[in-house]
Short mmCIF file of all heavy atoms in Angstrom, two decimals:
data_model
loop_
_atom_site.label_atom_id
_atom_site.label_comp_id
_atom_site.label_asym_id
_atom_site.label_seq_id
_atom_site.Cartn_x
_atom_site.Cartn_y
_atom_site.Cartn_z
N MET A 1 0.86 -1.20 0.05
CA MET A 1 0.00 -0.03 -0.07
C MET A 1 0.81 1.25 -0.04
O MET A 1 1.72 1.44 0.80
CB MET A 1 -0.96 -0.01 1.26
CG MET A 1 -1.78 1.24 1.42
SD MET A 1 -3.22 0.98 0.57
CE MET A 1 -4.12 2.40 1.01
N LEU A 2 0.64 2.13 -0.96
CA LEU A 2 1.40 3.33 -1.08
C LEU A 2 0.85 4.36 -0.08
O LEU A 2 -0.37 4.46 0.11
CB LEU A 2 1.39 3.87 -2.48
CG LEU A 2 2.16 3.07 -3.60
CD1 LEU A 2 1.99 3.68 -4.87
CD2 LEU A 2 3.65 2.97 -3.19
N THR A 3 1.72 5.18 0.43
CA THR A 3 1.29 6.28 1.14
C THR A 3 1.96 7.64 0.51
O THR A 3 2.87 7.43 -0.30
CB THR A 3 1.85 6.24 2.65
OG1 THR A 3 3.25 6.29 2.65
CG2 THR A 3 1.31 5.06 3.28
N ARG A 4 1.50 8.80 0.96
CA ARG A 4 2.19 10.02 0.49
C ARG A 4 3.63 9.89 0.71
O ARG A 4 4.48 10.37 -0.13
CB ARG A 4 1.38 11.13 1.19
CG ARG A 4 2.12 12.48 0.85
CD ARG A 4 1.38 13.68 1.45
NE ARG A 4 2.11 14.91 1.51
CZ ARG A 4 2.30 15.68 0.43
NH1 ARG A 4 1.96 15.24 -0.76
NH2 ARG A 4 2.94 16.74 0.43
N GLU A 5 4.09 9.56 1.87
CA GLU A 5 5.47 9.47 2.33
C GLU A 5 6.28 8.49 1.41
O GLU A 5 7.35 8.82 1.00
CB GLU A 5 5.54 9.11 3.75
CG GLU A 5 5.10 10.20 4.67
CD GLU A 5 3.53 10.26 4.80
OE1 GLU A 5 2.86 9.32 4.53
OE2 GLU A 5 3.09 11.36 5.14
N THR A 6 5.65 7.41 1.08
CA THR A 6 6.51 6.43 0.31
C THR A 6 6.51 6.91 -1.22
O THR A 6 7.54 6.73 -1.87
CB THR A 6 5.78 4.99 0.29
OG1 THR A 6 4.48 5.10 -0.21
CG2 THR A 6 5.91 4.41 1.60
N VAL A 7 5.54 7.63 -1.77
CA VAL A 7 5.57 8.11 -3.05
C VAL A 7 6.69 9.23 -3.08
O VAL A 7 7.40 9.16 -4.06
CB VAL A 7 4.17 8.65 -3.54
CG1 VAL A 7 4.33 9.37 -4.85
CG2 VAL A 7 3.18 7.49 -3.61
N ILE A 8 6.68 10.07 -2.14
CA ILE A 8 7.65 11.12 -2.16
C ILE A 8 9.02 10.51 -1.95
O ILE A 8 9.93 10.95 -2.57
CB ILE A 8 7.32 12.20 -1.06
CG1 ILE A 8 6.01 12.92 -1.42
CG2 ILE A 8 8.46 13.14 -0.86
CD1 ILE A 8 5.53 13.96 -0.45
N ALA A 9 9.16 9.53 -1.20
CA ALA A 9 10.51 8.86 -1.00
C ALA A 9 11.00 8.23 -2.30
O ALA A 9 12.13 8.31 -2.66
CB ALA A 9 10.45 7.86 0.07
N ASP A 10 10.00 7.59 -3.05
CA ASP A 10 10.36 7.00 -4.36
C ASP A 10 10.75 8.08 -5.37
O ASP A 10 11.86 7.91 -6.10
CB ASP A 10 9.14 6.36 -4.95
CG ASP A 10 8.76 5.05 -4.22
OD1 ASP A 10 9.58 4.50 -3.46
OD2 ASP A 10 7.69 4.59 -4.41
N ILE A 11 10.11 9.26 -5.37
CA ILE A 11 10.46 10.39 -6.24
C ILE A 11 11.78 10.93 -5.83
O ILE A 11 12.68 11.15 -6.65
CB ILE A 11 9.42 11.51 -6.25
CG1 ILE A 11 8.06 11.05 -6.84
CG2 ILE A 11 9.84 12.75 -6.84
CD1 ILE A 11 6.88 11.85 -6.64
N ALA A 12 12.03 11.06 -4.61
CA ALA A 12 13.31 11.70 -4.04
C ALA A 12 14.47 10.62 -4.44
O ALA A 12 15.61 11.14 -4.94
CB ALA A 12 13.26 11.84 -2.52
N ASN A 13 14.28 9.33 -4.34
CA ASN A 13 15.23 8.38 -4.66
C ASN A 13 15.60 8.48 -6.14
O ASN A 13 16.78 8.49 -6.50
CB ASN A 13 14.78 6.95 -4.26
CG ASN A 13 15.83 5.94 -4.58
OD1 ASN A 13 16.94 6.14 -4.12
ND2 ASN A 13 15.53 4.86 -5.10
N ALA A 14 14.52 8.63 -6.96
CA ALA A 14 14.77 8.79 -8.38
C ALA A 14 15.57 10.00 -8.73
O ALA A 14 16.34 10.07 -9.76
CB ALA A 14 13.48 8.75 -9.14
N LEU A 15 15.43 11.00 -7.98
CA LEU A 15 16.21 12.30 -8.17
C LEU A 15 17.48 12.42 -7.53
O LEU A 15 18.18 13.34 -7.63
CB LEU A 15 15.27 13.54 -7.77
CG LEU A 15 14.03 13.82 -8.72
CD1 LEU A 15 13.12 14.89 -7.94
CD2 LEU A 15 14.50 14.20 -10.06
N ASP A 16 17.67 11.33 -6.65
CA ASP A 16 18.91 11.34 -5.81
C ASP A 16 18.95 12.51 -4.80
O ASP A 16 19.98 13.26 -4.75
CB ASP A 16 20.18 11.24 -6.57
CG ASP A 16 21.31 10.78 -5.85
OD1 ASP A 16 21.15 10.04 -4.77
OD2 ASP A 16 22.53 11.10 -6.04
N GLN A 17 17.82 12.82 -4.24
CA GLN A 17 17.67 13.96 -3.36
C GLN A 17 17.09 13.45 -2.05
O GLN A 17 16.32 12.43 -2.02
CB GLN A 17 16.78 15.02 -3.97
CG GLN A 17 17.38 15.73 -5.19
CD GLN A 17 16.38 16.85 -5.58
OE1 GLN A 17 15.48 17.26 -5.06
NE2 GLN A 17 16.74 17.25 -6.84
N PRO A 18 17.24 14.15 -0.91
CA PRO A 18 16.47 13.74 0.30
C PRO A 18 14.96 14.03 0.14
O PRO A 18 14.58 15.00 -0.38
CB PRO A 18 17.15 14.56 1.44
CG PRO A 18 17.81 15.71 0.67
CD PRO A 18 18.17 15.26 -0.81
N PRO A 19 14.16 13.22 0.80
CA PRO A 19 12.73 13.42 0.70
C PRO A 19 12.34 14.76 1.18
O PRO A 19 11.33 15.34 0.65
CB PRO A 19 12.14 12.31 1.59
CG PRO A 19 13.23 11.16 1.51
CD PRO A 19 14.61 11.87 1.45
N GLU A 20 12.89 15.26 2.21
CA GLU A 20 12.50 16.64 2.68
C GLU A 20 12.80 17.80 1.80
O GLU A 20 12.16 18.85 1.97
CB GLU A 20 13.21 16.87 4.11
CG GLU A 20 14.66 16.74 4.19
CD GLU A 20 15.18 15.32 4.30
OE1 GLU A 20 14.42 14.34 4.52
OE2 GLU A 20 16.42 15.16 4.32
N SER A 21 13.51 17.47 0.59
CA SER A 21 13.72 18.58 -0.29
C SER A 21 12.62 18.61 -1.36
O SER A 21 12.65 19.45 -2.24
CB SER A 21 15.16 18.35 -0.95
OG SER A 21 15.10 17.30 -1.83
N ILE A 22 11.76 17.58 -1.35
CA ILE A 22 10.76 17.48 -2.41
C ILE A 22 9.45 18.19 -1.96
O ILE A 22 8.77 17.83 -1.00
CB ILE A 22 10.44 15.94 -2.64
CG1 ILE A 22 11.69 15.24 -3.00
CG2 ILE A 22 9.46 15.80 -3.65
CD1 ILE A 22 12.46 15.55 -4.18
N SER A 23 9.18 19.25 -2.58
CA SER A 23 7.96 20.03 -2.39
C SER A 23 6.80 19.61 -3.38
O SER A 23 7.04 19.20 -4.44
CB SER A 23 8.11 21.48 -2.45
OG SER A 23 8.47 21.87 -3.78
N ALA A 24 5.62 19.88 -2.95
CA ALA A 24 4.41 19.49 -3.82
C ALA A 24 4.30 20.10 -5.13
O ALA A 24 3.94 19.52 -6.05
CB ALA A 24 3.12 19.84 -2.98
N GLU A 25 4.87 21.36 -5.27
CA GLU A 25 4.71 22.08 -6.47
C GLU A 25 5.97 21.82 -7.37
O GLU A 25 6.08 22.42 -8.54
CB GLU A 25 4.59 23.61 -6.26
CG GLU A 25 5.77 24.24 -5.54
CD GLU A 25 5.57 24.20 -3.97
OE1 GLU A 25 4.55 23.62 -3.45
OE2 GLU A 25 6.59 24.46 -3.36
N LEU A 26 6.96 21.03 -6.93
CA LEU A 26 8.13 20.87 -7.72
C LEU A 26 7.88 20.15 -9.05
O LEU A 26 7.10 19.19 -9.12
CB LEU A 26 9.00 19.92 -6.87
CG LEU A 26 10.45 19.65 -7.47
CD1 LEU A 26 11.26 20.90 -7.44
CD2 LEU A 26 11.14 18.49 -6.60
N ASN A 27 8.37 20.74 -10.12
CA ASN A 27 8.30 20.20 -11.49
C ASN A 27 9.33 19.17 -11.66
O ASN A 27 10.54 19.56 -11.80
CB ASN A 27 8.19 21.30 -12.51
CG ASN A 27 8.04 20.70 -13.90
OD1 ASN A 27 8.68 19.82 -14.34
ND2 ASN A 27 7.15 21.31 -14.62
N LEU A 28 8.92 17.99 -11.76
CA LEU A 28 9.99 16.85 -11.87
C LEU A 28 10.76 16.87 -13.19
O LEU A 28 11.90 16.40 -13.19
CB LEU A 28 9.35 15.55 -11.51
CG LEU A 28 8.68 15.54 -10.14
CD1 LEU A 28 7.68 14.47 -10.03
CD2 LEU A 28 9.74 15.50 -9.11
N LEU A 29 10.18 17.22 -14.22
CA LEU A 29 10.92 17.35 -15.48
C LEU A 29 11.96 18.40 -15.40
O LEU A 29 13.08 18.17 -15.95
CB LEU A 29 9.98 17.56 -16.71
CG LEU A 29 8.91 16.40 -16.84
CD1 LEU A 29 8.05 16.80 -18.12
CD2 LEU A 29 9.56 15.05 -16.98
N ASP A 30 11.59 19.56 -14.79
CA ASP A 30 12.67 20.64 -14.66
C ASP A 30 13.70 20.23 -13.69
O ASP A 30 14.85 20.66 -13.85
CB ASP A 30 11.93 21.88 -14.12
CG ASP A 30 11.02 22.60 -14.94
OD1 ASP A 30 11.00 22.28 -16.24
OD2 ASP A 30 10.24 23.45 -14.56
N GLU A 31 13.47 19.21 -12.85
CA GLU A 31 14.46 18.79 -11.94
C GLU A 31 15.34 17.72 -12.67
O GLU A 31 16.33 17.21 -11.91
CB GLU A 31 13.79 18.21 -10.62
CG GLU A 31 13.29 19.28 -9.76
CD GLU A 31 14.35 20.18 -9.21
OE1 GLU A 31 15.33 19.75 -8.65
OE2 GLU A 31 14.06 21.45 -9.32
N GLY A 32 15.07 17.31 -13.78
CA GLY A 32 15.84 16.37 -14.63
C GLY A 32 15.48 14.93 -14.55
O GLY A 32 16.24 14.10 -14.98
N LEU A 33 14.19 14.62 -14.08
CA LEU A 33 13.67 13.34 -14.11
C LEU A 33 13.47 12.97 -15.51
O LEU A 33 12.70 13.61 -16.29
CB LEU A 33 12.38 13.19 -13.24
CG LEU A 33 12.06 11.86 -12.80
CD1 LEU A 33 13.15 11.19 -11.97
CD2 LEU A 33 10.77 11.82 -12.09
N ASP A 34 14.12 11.91 -15.99
CA ASP A 34 14.06 11.49 -17.43
C ASP A 34 13.00 10.30 -17.55
O ASP A 34 12.48 9.70 -16.58
CB ASP A 34 15.40 11.11 -17.99
CG ASP A 34 15.97 9.94 -17.30
OD1 ASP A 34 15.27 9.07 -16.67
OD2 ASP A 34 17.26 9.90 -17.30
N SER A 35 12.78 10.02 -18.81
CA SER A 35 11.65 8.99 -19.12
C SER A 35 11.97 7.62 -18.59
O SER A 35 11.10 6.89 -18.07
CB SER A 35 11.41 8.92 -20.55
OG SER A 35 12.61 8.62 -21.25
N ILE A 36 13.25 7.25 -18.45
CA ILE A 36 13.67 5.97 -18.00
C ILE A 36 13.28 5.82 -16.47
O ILE A 36 12.64 4.78 -15.95
CB ILE A 36 15.15 5.75 -18.14
CG1 ILE A 36 15.50 5.71 -19.62
CG2 ILE A 36 15.54 4.37 -17.53
CD1 ILE A 36 14.84 4.61 -20.47
N ARG A 37 13.66 6.92 -15.67
CA ARG A 37 13.24 6.98 -14.26
C ARG A 37 11.79 7.04 -14.09
O ARG A 37 11.29 6.36 -13.08
CB ARG A 37 14.05 8.04 -13.62
CG ARG A 37 15.56 7.56 -13.50
CD ARG A 37 16.44 8.58 -12.81
NE ARG A 37 16.61 9.73 -13.53
CZ ARG A 37 17.08 10.92 -13.15
NH1 ARG A 37 17.55 11.02 -11.85
NH2 ARG A 37 17.20 11.94 -13.87
N ILE A 38 11.08 7.74 -14.86
CA ILE A 38 9.59 7.83 -14.74
C ILE A 38 9.03 6.49 -14.94
O ILE A 38 8.20 6.04 -14.12
CB ILE A 38 9.05 8.80 -15.76
CG1 ILE A 38 9.48 10.28 -15.37
CG2 ILE A 38 7.47 8.74 -15.68
CD1 ILE A 38 9.21 11.31 -16.43
N MET A 39 9.56 5.82 -16.03
CA MET A 39 8.96 4.46 -16.25
C MET A 39 9.26 3.48 -15.00
O MET A 39 8.52 2.56 -14.65
CB MET A 39 9.45 3.79 -17.48
CG MET A 39 8.79 4.47 -18.83
SD MET A 39 7.05 4.49 -18.70
CE MET A 39 6.60 2.66 -18.68
N GLY A 40 10.37 3.66 -14.42
CA GLY A 40 10.75 2.95 -13.23
C GLY A 40 9.78 3.20 -12.07
O GLY A 40 9.37 2.15 -11.36
N LEU A 41 9.38 4.38 -11.93
CA LEU A 41 8.41 4.71 -10.96
C LEU A 41 7.02 4.10 -11.26
O LEU A 41 6.30 3.61 -10.43
CB LEU A 41 8.24 6.24 -10.73
CG LEU A 41 9.47 6.92 -10.18
CD1 LEU A 41 9.29 8.40 -10.18
CD2 LEU A 41 9.61 6.47 -8.67
N VAL A 42 6.63 4.20 -12.54
CA VAL A 42 5.44 3.61 -13.02
C VAL A 42 5.32 2.17 -12.74
O VAL A 42 4.39 1.61 -12.09
CB VAL A 42 5.20 3.83 -14.50
CG1 VAL A 42 4.06 3.04 -15.08
CG2 VAL A 42 4.91 5.27 -14.80
N GLU A 43 6.41 1.43 -12.92
CA GLU A 43 6.43 -0.09 -12.68
C GLU A 43 6.50 -0.26 -11.17
O GLU A 43 5.80 -1.22 -10.76
CB GLU A 43 7.72 -0.74 -13.42
CG GLU A 43 7.59 -0.64 -14.83
CD GLU A 43 6.35 -1.37 -15.36
OE1 GLU A 43 6.00 -2.48 -14.84
OE2 GLU A 43 5.74 -0.85 -16.20
N ARG A 44 7.20 0.44 -10.43
CA ARG A 44 7.23 0.23 -9.01
C ARG A 44 5.84 0.54 -8.41
O ARG A 44 5.32 -0.27 -7.49
CB ARG A 44 8.15 1.25 -8.36
CG ARG A 44 8.32 1.17 -6.86
CD ARG A 44 9.28 2.21 -6.33
NE ARG A 44 9.54 2.04 -4.95
CZ ARG A 44 10.53 1.40 -4.47
NH1 ARG A 44 11.37 0.69 -5.31
NH2 ARG A 44 10.66 1.25 -3.14
N TRP A 45 5.12 1.53 -8.82
CA TRP A 45 3.66 1.79 -8.29
C TRP A 45 2.72 0.81 -8.83
O TRP A 45 1.74 0.48 -8.00
CB TRP A 45 3.34 3.22 -8.64
CG TRP A 45 4.26 4.27 -7.91
CD1 TRP A 45 5.15 4.04 -6.82
CD2 TRP A 45 4.59 5.56 -8.19
NE1 TRP A 45 5.74 5.07 -6.41
CE2 TRP A 45 5.55 6.11 -7.30
CE3 TRP A 45 4.11 6.40 -9.29
CZ2 TRP A 45 6.00 7.42 -7.31
CZ3 TRP A 45 4.61 7.70 -9.25
CH2 TRP A 45 5.49 8.19 -8.36
N ARG A 46 2.86 0.31 -10.04
CA ARG A 46 1.92 -0.70 -10.58
C ARG A 46 2.14 -1.95 -9.66
O ARG A 46 1.25 -2.63 -9.44
CB ARG A 46 2.18 -1.08 -12.00
CG ARG A 46 1.64 -0.04 -12.88
CD ARG A 46 1.90 -0.38 -14.36
NE ARG A 46 1.32 0.62 -15.22
CZ ARG A 46 1.53 0.55 -16.57
NH1 ARG A 46 2.34 -0.36 -17.09
NH2 ARG A 46 1.03 1.52 -17.38
N SER A 47 3.41 -2.29 -9.43
CA SER A 47 3.68 -3.49 -8.52
C SER A 47 3.15 -3.40 -7.18
O SER A 47 2.76 -4.34 -6.52
CB SER A 47 5.25 -3.71 -8.46
OG SER A 47 5.66 -4.12 -9.73
N ALA A 48 2.87 -2.11 -6.73
CA ALA A 48 2.31 -1.79 -5.38
C ALA A 48 0.83 -1.77 -5.43
O ALA A 48 0.21 -1.48 -4.38
CB ALA A 48 2.88 -0.50 -4.82
N GLY A 49 0.23 -2.04 -6.62
CA GLY A 49 -1.19 -2.18 -6.67
C GLY A 49 -1.86 -0.91 -7.27
O GLY A 49 -3.14 -0.73 -7.08
N VAL A 50 -1.22 -0.05 -8.06
CA VAL A 50 -1.85 1.17 -8.56
C VAL A 50 -1.99 0.86 -10.17
O VAL A 50 -1.04 1.20 -10.86
CB VAL A 50 -1.06 2.43 -8.35
CG1 VAL A 50 -1.74 3.61 -8.94
CG2 VAL A 50 -0.79 2.57 -6.82
N PRO A 51 -3.00 0.23 -10.65
CA PRO A 51 -3.14 -0.13 -12.05
C PRO A 51 -3.23 1.08 -12.96
O PRO A 51 -2.94 0.87 -14.11
CB PRO A 51 -4.37 -0.98 -12.07
CG PRO A 51 -5.14 -0.56 -10.92
CD PRO A 51 -4.17 -0.08 -9.88
N ASP A 52 -3.76 2.21 -12.53
CA ASP A 52 -3.99 3.29 -13.52
C ASP A 52 -2.84 4.20 -13.72
O ASP A 52 -3.06 5.22 -14.37
CB ASP A 52 -5.23 4.03 -13.04
CG ASP A 52 -6.48 3.21 -12.90
OD1 ASP A 52 -6.57 2.30 -13.82
OD2 ASP A 52 -7.36 3.49 -12.14
N VAL A 53 -1.76 3.98 -13.12
CA VAL A 53 -0.54 4.89 -13.26
C VAL A 53 0.13 4.56 -14.50
O VAL A 53 0.26 3.34 -14.87
CB VAL A 53 0.41 4.86 -12.01
CG1 VAL A 53 1.00 3.56 -11.97
CG2 VAL A 53 1.42 5.95 -12.12
N ASP A 54 0.38 5.58 -15.39
CA ASP A 54 1.12 5.41 -16.66
C ASP A 54 1.90 6.63 -17.01
O ASP A 54 1.69 7.66 -16.44
CB ASP A 54 0.23 5.00 -17.83
CG ASP A 54 -0.91 5.94 -18.18
OD1 ASP A 54 -0.75 7.17 -17.79
OD2 ASP A 54 -1.95 5.49 -18.55
N PHE A 55 2.76 6.41 -18.00
CA PHE A 55 3.69 7.55 -18.37
C PHE A 55 2.94 8.80 -18.82
O PHE A 55 3.22 9.87 -18.29
CB PHE A 55 4.68 7.07 -19.38
CG PHE A 55 5.70 8.15 -19.86
CD1 PHE A 55 6.84 8.29 -19.03
CD2 PHE A 55 5.39 8.94 -20.88
CE1 PHE A 55 7.72 9.33 -19.45
CE2 PHE A 55 6.30 9.96 -21.22
CZ PHE A 55 7.47 10.10 -20.56
N PRO A 56 1.95 8.63 -19.78
CA PRO A 56 1.28 9.82 -20.24
C PRO A 56 0.57 10.60 -19.11
O PRO A 56 0.56 11.89 -19.09
CB PRO A 56 0.19 9.29 -21.27
CG PRO A 56 0.78 7.94 -21.73
CD PRO A 56 1.46 7.39 -20.49
N THR A 57 0.01 9.88 -18.21
CA THR A 57 -0.71 10.56 -17.04
C THR A 57 0.31 11.34 -16.17
O THR A 57 -0.05 12.56 -15.80
CB THR A 57 -1.51 9.58 -16.11
OG1 THR A 57 -2.39 8.90 -17.02
CG2 THR A 57 -2.10 10.22 -14.97
N LEU A 58 1.48 10.84 -15.94
CA LEU A 58 2.48 11.47 -15.18
C LEU A 58 3.05 12.65 -15.87
O LEU A 58 3.21 13.73 -15.37
CB LEU A 58 3.57 10.50 -14.64
CG LEU A 58 3.02 9.43 -13.70
CD1 LEU A 58 4.31 8.55 -13.40
CD2 LEU A 58 2.20 10.00 -12.46
N ALA A 59 3.35 12.41 -17.13
CA ALA A 59 4.00 13.42 -17.94
C ALA A 59 3.06 14.59 -18.26
O ALA A 59 3.57 15.77 -18.46
CB ALA A 59 4.50 12.94 -19.23
N ALA A 60 1.77 14.45 -18.17
CA ALA A 60 0.79 15.52 -18.50
C ALA A 60 0.91 16.55 -17.45
O ALA A 60 0.64 17.77 -17.76
CB ALA A 60 -0.68 14.99 -18.54
N ASP A 61 1.22 16.22 -16.31
CA ASP A 61 1.39 17.21 -15.13
C ASP A 61 2.54 16.68 -14.25
O ASP A 61 2.22 15.87 -13.34
CB ASP A 61 0.06 17.35 -14.34
CG ASP A 61 0.13 18.29 -13.18
OD1 ASP A 61 1.17 18.93 -13.02
OD2 ASP A 61 -0.91 18.50 -12.54
N PRO A 62 3.71 17.10 -14.45
CA PRO A 62 4.89 16.51 -13.83
C PRO A 62 5.19 17.16 -12.42
O PRO A 62 6.31 17.25 -12.04
CB PRO A 62 5.90 16.76 -14.90
CG PRO A 62 5.62 18.10 -15.49
CD PRO A 62 4.11 17.97 -15.62
N THR A 63 4.10 17.49 -11.72
CA THR A 63 4.35 18.01 -10.32
C THR A 63 4.25 16.91 -9.33
O THR A 63 3.48 15.93 -9.52
CB THR A 63 3.31 19.07 -10.03
OG1 THR A 63 2.01 18.66 -10.02
CG2 THR A 63 3.49 20.29 -10.93
N VAL A 64 4.89 17.07 -8.17
CA VAL A 64 4.84 16.07 -7.13
C VAL A 64 3.37 15.86 -6.69
O VAL A 64 2.91 14.71 -6.48
CB VAL A 64 5.79 16.38 -5.95
CG1 VAL A 64 5.61 15.64 -4.70
CG2 VAL A 64 7.19 16.49 -6.43
N ALA A 65 2.69 17.02 -6.52
CA ALA A 65 1.28 16.86 -5.99
C ALA A 65 0.43 15.98 -6.85
O ALA A 65 -0.37 15.15 -6.51
CB ALA A 65 0.63 18.27 -5.86
N HIS A 66 0.54 16.18 -8.24
CA HIS A 66 -0.18 15.41 -9.17
C HIS A 66 0.29 13.96 -9.13
O HIS A 66 -0.65 13.07 -9.03
CB HIS A 66 0.01 15.92 -10.60
CG HIS A 66 -0.69 15.06 -11.72
ND1 HIS A 66 -2.07 15.07 -11.76
CD2 HIS A 66 -0.20 14.21 -12.48
CE1 HIS A 66 -2.33 14.30 -12.81
NE2 HIS A 66 -1.28 13.68 -13.25
N TRP A 67 1.52 13.68 -9.01
CA TRP A 67 1.97 12.30 -8.98
C TRP A 67 1.62 11.58 -7.73
O TRP A 67 1.18 10.42 -7.83
CB TRP A 67 3.45 12.30 -9.21
CG TRP A 67 3.94 12.51 -10.55
CD1 TRP A 67 3.22 13.29 -11.49
CD2 TRP A 67 5.18 12.24 -11.22
NE1 TRP A 67 3.96 13.39 -12.64
CE2 TRP A 67 5.17 12.80 -12.44
CE3 TRP A 67 6.22 11.59 -10.70
CZ2 TRP A 67 6.25 12.57 -13.32
CZ3 TRP A 67 7.41 11.33 -11.62
CH2 TRP A 67 7.33 11.84 -12.94
N VAL A 68 1.55 12.26 -6.66
CA VAL A 68 1.14 11.67 -5.37
C VAL A 68 -0.37 11.31 -5.54
O VAL A 68 -0.73 10.21 -5.15
CB VAL A 68 1.23 12.60 -4.17
CG1 VAL A 68 0.52 12.18 -3.02
CG2 VAL A 68 2.83 12.71 -3.93
N ALA A 69 -1.18 12.19 -6.06
CA ALA A 69 -2.63 11.94 -6.25
C ALA A 69 -2.91 10.75 -7.19
O ALA A 69 -3.73 9.91 -6.90
CB ALA A 69 -3.33 13.19 -6.86
N VAL A 70 -2.14 10.65 -8.24
CA VAL A 70 -2.19 9.47 -9.15
C VAL A 70 -1.80 8.24 -8.50
O VAL A 70 -2.53 7.28 -8.51
CB VAL A 70 -1.37 9.70 -10.38
CG1 VAL A 70 -1.31 8.43 -11.24
CG2 VAL A 70 -1.87 10.86 -11.29
N ALA A 71 -0.73 8.17 -7.88
CA ALA A 71 -0.20 6.97 -7.15
C ALA A 71 -1.15 6.54 -6.00
O ALA A 71 -1.28 5.36 -5.75
CB ALA A 71 1.11 7.24 -6.52
N LEU A 72 -1.79 7.42 -5.30
CA LEU A 72 -2.74 7.13 -4.36
C LEU A 72 -4.24 6.90 -4.85
O LEU A 72 -5.14 6.69 -4.03
CB LEU A 72 -2.74 8.19 -3.22
CG LEU A 72 -1.39 8.39 -2.49
CD1 LEU A 72 -1.56 9.49 -1.43
CD2 LEU A 72 -0.86 7.09 -1.90
N GLY A 73 -4.36 6.93 -6.06
CA GLY A 73 -5.69 6.67 -6.76
C GLY A 73 -6.63 7.82 -6.41
O GLY A 73 -7.82 7.61 -6.57
N GLU A 74 -6.17 9.02 -6.32
CA GLU A 74 -7.05 10.27 -6.07
C GLU A 74 -7.21 11.11 -7.29
O GLU A 74 -7.74 12.08 -7.18
CB GLU A 74 -6.37 11.11 -4.89
CG GLU A 74 -6.27 10.35 -3.61
CD GLU A 74 -5.55 11.00 -2.63
OE1 GLU A 74 -4.97 12.10 -2.88
OE2 GLU A 74 -5.38 10.57 -1.50
N TYR A 75 -6.73 10.56 -8.42
CA TYR A 75 -6.83 11.30 -9.68
C TYR A 75 -7.90 10.93 -10.47
O TYR A 75 -8.28 9.76 -10.61
CB TYR A 75 -5.42 11.13 -10.49
CG TYR A 75 -5.45 11.75 -11.87
CD1 TYR A 75 -5.41 13.04 -12.12
CD2 TYR A 75 -5.52 10.81 -12.95
CE1 TYR A 75 -5.39 13.50 -13.45
CE2 TYR A 75 -5.63 11.32 -14.25
CZ TYR A 75 -5.50 12.68 -14.50
OH TYR A 75 -5.53 13.18 -15.68
#
């Protein structure tokens, strides 16, 4: 089961940054998150039971707040 904290930790890990440096409005593409790492997150979150997460949905709004909502099924 994903939580807000685990999603942010996953994002922080993909960016090689501490989780406390990740703000809700952060644009992940501007931070250098590439398509390979995005697909890694998609696969990780699908494995955790989030079937509706996909690359186009994340890329459409590359902010942490949006990605958390998608990963938690609130999108």
Side-chain angles (χ1 to χ4, degrees):
M1 176 87 175
L2 291 177
T3 65
R4 174 179 168 69
E5 291 76 22
T6 57
V7 171
I8 291 173
D10 289 344
I11 292 168
N13 186 46
L15 291 171
D16 197 28
Q17 295 181 10
E20 52 276 359
S21 73
I22 305 298
S23 66
E25 62 278 346
L26 187 67
N27 183 306
L28 297 164
L29 298 181
D30 290 347
E31 289 298 307
L33 198 63
D34 60 29
S35 60
I36 300 296
R37 290 184 285 172
I38 294 171
M39 287 307 300
L41 291 171
V42 166
E43 291 306 314
R44 181 179 186 92
W45 297 338
R46 282 184 182 167
S47 295
V50 184
D52 296 332
V53 67
D54 59 26
F55 182 87
T57 302
L58 297 180
D61 182 356
T63 61
V64 172
H66 176 74
W67 288 22
V68 167
V70 171
L72 297 183
E74 299 169 355
Y75 171 72

